[in-house]
Amino acid sequence: MKELLRTTDMTVIAFAQALLAGEDIDCFAMDVNMSALEGGIGIFPRRLMVHPDDHAAAERVLLENNIDLGM
């Protein structure tokens, strides 16, 4: 898996997942359970991972929808 997106905003992760699902690009959200450790204050960024073969297409989809990749 290759990192596509890094953000502390959970809504951006959800929106990005929906966009990628619409393009039939599989993705996996990592670090989503960190909120239990941080108390839900949004200190630790969450990451969205995609298969390396899909990375370029996924990046294009997010950038076309004005989503900052945070990297």
Side-chain angles (χ1 to χ4, degrees), residues 6-10 13 30-47:
R6 180 182 298 229
T7 183
T8 57
D9 188 342
M10 292 182 293
I13 292 284
M30 295 186 68
D31 307 318
V32 294
N33 294 322
M34 289 301 291
S35 62
L37 296 174
E38 69 180 39
I41 57 176
I43 295 173
F44 297 111
R46 286 148 180 87
R47 297 174 290 159

Side-chain angles (χ1 to χ4, degrees), residues 3-25:
E3 184 175 334
L4 173 67
L5 170 67
R6 180 182 298 229
T7 183
T8 57
D9 188 342
M10 292 182 293
T11 61
V12 170
I13 292 284
F15 182 48
Q17 287 176 305
L19 288 171
L20 294 174
E23 297 290 328
D24 291 325
I25 298 173

Side-chain angles (χ1 to χ4, degrees), residues 2-5 50-60 71:
K2 187 171 179 181
E3 184 175 334
L4 173 67
L5 170 67
V50 295
H51 191 277
D53 294 343
D54 294 329
H55 190 270
E59 190 175 67
R60 179 184 43 77
M71 297 187 298

